[in-house]
């Protein structure tokens, strides 16, 4: 890259401006690339200093592979291990290839065990071994034990670093312990009360601990109405519990009800975010695609669902072909029939999106399914009547045929009702047979609304207009 003197001076001045917002923008990226090109490590370190690890991870995701390798190599011993917990999993191998074993050791030693587990899951075996070798013996044992639990279970999500205390301690003893202990978690919200068998019997919030007298027994101020998380519980259920009951942290227990770890709110919310993002992508038929994927990888991810859409389009075309004579006799039908199918498709997608999200958050269950179905039926009917009136008038004034307007309006009502029902019944049916509703609902709903829309409009036209 060639840098003009005036351009370079403007970029550096802007990047070093103390009043500029701390955000990843083109100015910062250009300056970072200049520091890499000139091998100016001091400039690179200075530029990165104000930024959070998540912002630096975003920066790494916005430059190409060659620039990323040079970036990591130049950053060297100042590499922030927290970046590893924030960066897109598809880039981890590239980043590790540019780090020496000494830097890897320093980078991972301050990470919580849950972050290390999450990191190792996304690496190739040689890089996994590098991480494990960089850990202290106690941390390595904790990480390997966590990896022994099923993927997407609470055991993989929990962190082993926690604070626990016996119930006979006083507030003063607990505070003194916290002040002198050197191996506390970086962040924690509660002290877990345990009995001699390490069974959680309560917890004391830090706010409660700090506001109580030193001589007060912890057993007198602990919260006994708390929830524990089974170590084999799914991460999705864990996230639901945190969201449903406004939990900040929760102890994790094994099959013998002994304390083995703790899950905090930030980890649970990350699961919720990931699940919501996954649903959105699946509804659009793009799977786990991200902006850093290669052309071939992106093509491979999109192809199956485009193929499904092609098949559904062929089915709709077959329906249209059955009314070829009707369309030839009344050319206006070819102009108007996409309106009915399009409106049905959009209405179905609206209902589908709400239904899939409600299923994910457990707001839609078998207990209230029929009430929701009746509601969607009513909404489809009401919207159908409104848009039938509008499109019926459009058809009448456009082609001067009141009967054509009536046929168009009736077809609109039928397809809007069907769209609402399909949008709720399809995801419910798929979930009942064990298929992820977010994965396959879209194709089914679109197929139903297209076929019913064309069939209703063209069938009514053939019956009443010829």
């Amino acid at each position: 890259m060639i840098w003009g003197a005036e351009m370079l001076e403007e970029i550096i001045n802007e990047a070093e401006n103390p009043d500029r917002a701390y955000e990843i923008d083109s100015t910062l990226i250009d300056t970072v690339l200049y520091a890499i090109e000139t091998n100016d490590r001091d400039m690179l370190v200075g530029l990165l200093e104000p930024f959070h690890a998540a912002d630096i991870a975003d920066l790494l995701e916005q430059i190409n592979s060659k620039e990323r390798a040079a970036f990591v190599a130049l950053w060297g011993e100042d590499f922030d291990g927290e970046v590893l917990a924030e960066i897109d999993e598809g880039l981890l191998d590239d980043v590790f290839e540019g780090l020496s074993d000494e830097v890897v050791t320093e980078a991972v030693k301050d990470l919580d065990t849950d972050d290390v587990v999450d990191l190792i899951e996304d690496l190739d075996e040689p890089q996994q071994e590098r991480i494990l070798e960089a850990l202290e013996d106690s941390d390595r044992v904790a990480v390997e034990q966590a990896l022994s639990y099923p993927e997407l279970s609470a055991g993989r999500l929990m962190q082993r670093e926690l604070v626990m205390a016996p119930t006979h301690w006083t507030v003063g003893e607990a505070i003194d312990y916290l002040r002198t202990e050197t191996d506390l978690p970086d962040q924690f919200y509660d002290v877990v009360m345990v009995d001699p068998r390490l069974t959680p019997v309560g917890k004391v919030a830090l706010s409660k601990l700090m506001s109580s007298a030193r001589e007060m027994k912890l057993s007198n101020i602990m919260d006994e109405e708390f929830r524990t998380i089974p170590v084999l519980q799914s991460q999705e259920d864990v996230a639901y519990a945190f969201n449903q009951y406004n939990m900040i942290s929760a102890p994790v227990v094994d099959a013998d009800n002994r304390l083995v770890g703790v899950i905090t709110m930030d980890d649970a919310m990350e699961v919720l975010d990931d699940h919501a993002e996954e649903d959105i992508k699946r509804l659009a038929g793009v799977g786990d695609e991200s902006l850093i994927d290669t052309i071939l990888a992106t093509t491979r991810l999109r192809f199956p669902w485009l193929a499904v859409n092609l098949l559904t389009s062929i089915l709709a075309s077959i329906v249209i072909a059955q009314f070829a004579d009707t369309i030839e006799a009344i050319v206006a039908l070819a102009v108007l029939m996409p309106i009915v199918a399009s409106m049905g498709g959009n209405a179905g997608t609206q209902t589908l999106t709400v239904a899939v999200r409600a299923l994910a958050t457990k707001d839609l269950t078998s207990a209230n399914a029929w009430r929701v179905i009746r509601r969607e039926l009513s909404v489809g009917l009401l919207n159908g009547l409104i848009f039938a009136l509008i499109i019926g008038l459009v058809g009448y004034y456009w082609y001067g045929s009141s009967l054509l307007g009536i046929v168009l309006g009736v077809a609109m009502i039928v397809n809007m009702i069907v769209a609402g029902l399909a949008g709720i019944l399809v995801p419910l049916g798929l979930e009942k047979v064990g298929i992820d509703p977010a994965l396959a609902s879209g194709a089914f709903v679109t197929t139903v609304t297209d076929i019913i829309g064309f069939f209703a409009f063209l069938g009514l036209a053939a019956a009443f207009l010829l």
Side-chain angles (χ1 to χ4, degrees), residues 107-146:
V108 301
K109 72 177 184 179
D110 293 328
L111 293 177
D112 292 332
T113 52
D114 59 325
D115 289 330
V116 177
V117 170
D118 190 43
L119 184 63
I120 286 180
E121 288 177 329
D122 301 321
L123 292 173
D124 294 334
E125 188 172 341
Q127 299 295 4
Q128 289 182 350
E129 192 57 36
R130 285 185 72 193
I131 296 292
L132 291 173
E133 290 178 355
L135 297 172
E136 297 180 359
D137 291 341
S138 59
D139 289 336
R140 176 167 183 157
V141 170
V143 169
E144 288 178 335
Q145 183 175 356

Side-chain angles (χ1 to χ4, degrees), residues 61 86 88-89 269-293 356-357 360 436 438-439:
E61 292 168 8
E86 302 288 348
D88 189 287
E89 61 188 49
M269 292 305 102
E270 185 175 346
V271 173
L272 274 182
D273 288 342
D274 290 344
H275 190 66
E277 180 181 350
E278 183 182 76
D279 282 349
I280 292 172
K281 287 183 175 181
R282 286 184 170 184
L283 282 171
V286 295
D288 295 326
E289 179 185 329
S290 68
L291 292 177
I292 64 171
D293 289 339
V356 168
R357 190 63 191 139
D436 186 350
L439 186 61

Side-chain angles (χ1 to χ4, degrees), residues 154-338:
R156 291 286 187 99
L157 187 63
M158 71 180 183
Q159 64 183 57
R160 300 298 297 266
E161 299 88 359
L162 53 86
V163 181
M164 59 182 176
T167 54
H168 65 265
W169 272 13
T170 64
V171 168
E173 288 174 318
I175 291 175
D176 291 341
Y177 167 76
L178 294 176
R179 287 175 176 171
T180 57
E181 179 61 36
T182 59
D183 195 25
L184 293 174
D186 290 337
Q187 290 184 341
F188 63 97
Y189 309 98
D190 303 297
V191 177
V192 183
M193 300 290 101
V194 294
D195 66 12
R197 296 184 63 256
L198 290 184
T199 298
V201 294
K203 64 180 182 178
V204 177
L206 287 182
S207 57
K208 190 76 170 179
L209 183 71
M210 300 307 297
S211 61
S212 301
R214 286 182 59 85
E215 62 274 9
M216 178 71 70
K217 289 279 190 180
L218 291 179
S219 58
N220 293 334
I221 62 172
M222 71 179 184
D223 178 12
E224 298 182 28
E225 296 183 4
F226 69 104
R227 293 179 178 272
T228 58
I229 303 293
V231 73
L232 297 181
Q233 189 172 59
S234 73
Q235 293 183 7
E236 183 179 341
D237 289 340
V238 171
Y240 170 77
F242 269 77
N243 187 54
Q244 179 74 4
Y245 305 114
N246 298 316
M247 296 160 61
I248 296 177
S249 69
V252 182
V253 295
D254 62 14
D256 297 321
N257 205 32
R258 289 179 298 193
L259 182 66
V260 292
V262 66
I263 294 175
T264 53
M265 178 176 57
D266 57 326
D267 295 318
M269 292 305 102
E270 185 175 346
V271 173
L272 274 182
D273 288 342
D274 290 344
H275 190 66
E277 180 181 350
E278 183 182 76
D279 282 349
I280 292 172
K281 287 183 175 181
R282 286 184 170 184
L283 282 171
V286 295
D288 295 326
E289 179 185 329
S290 68
L291 292 177
I292 64 171
D293 289 339
T294 64
I295 294 173
L296 289 178
T298 302
T299 302
R300 179 177 55 81
L301 287 169
R302 295 184 185 183
F303 178 83
W305 294 107
L306 291 175
V308 171
N309 287 334
L310 176 61
L311 291 176
T312 60
S313 298
I314 291 173
L315 289 175
S317 297
I318 291 173
V319 173
I320 295 173
Q322 307 308 308
F323 299 95
D325 293 339
T326 305
I327 295 173
E328 289 179 5
I330 308 174
V331 179
L333 300 180
V335 177
L336 297 174
M337 66 181 183

Side-chain angles (χ1 to χ4, degrees), residues 36 60 63-75 94-95 97-99:
I36 294 171
L60 282 168
I63 58 181
N64 64 41
S65 180
K66 182 179 179 181
E67 294 165 343
R68 193 179 303 119
F71 180 108
V72 172
L74 185 60
W75 200 6
D94 289 346
V95 171
E97 288 177 2
L99 297 175

Side-chain angles (χ1 to χ4, degrees), residues 321-377:
Q322 307 308 308
F323 299 95
D325 293 339
T326 305
I327 295 173
E328 289 179 5
I330 308 174
V331 179
L333 300 180
V335 177
L336 297 174
M337 66 181 183
I339 298 176
V340 177
S342 176
M343 289 294 293
N346 288 333
T349 300
Q350 288 177 333
T351 305
L352 173 63
T353 303
V354 174
V356 168
R357 190 63 191 139
L359 285 170
T361 58
K362 304 186 189 303
D363 291 329
L364 177 57
T365 65
S366 57
N368 65 351
W370 284 112
R371 178 177 60 82
V372 177
I373 291 171
R374 289 194 299 269
R375 189 196 71 160
E376 292 302 327
L377 178 63

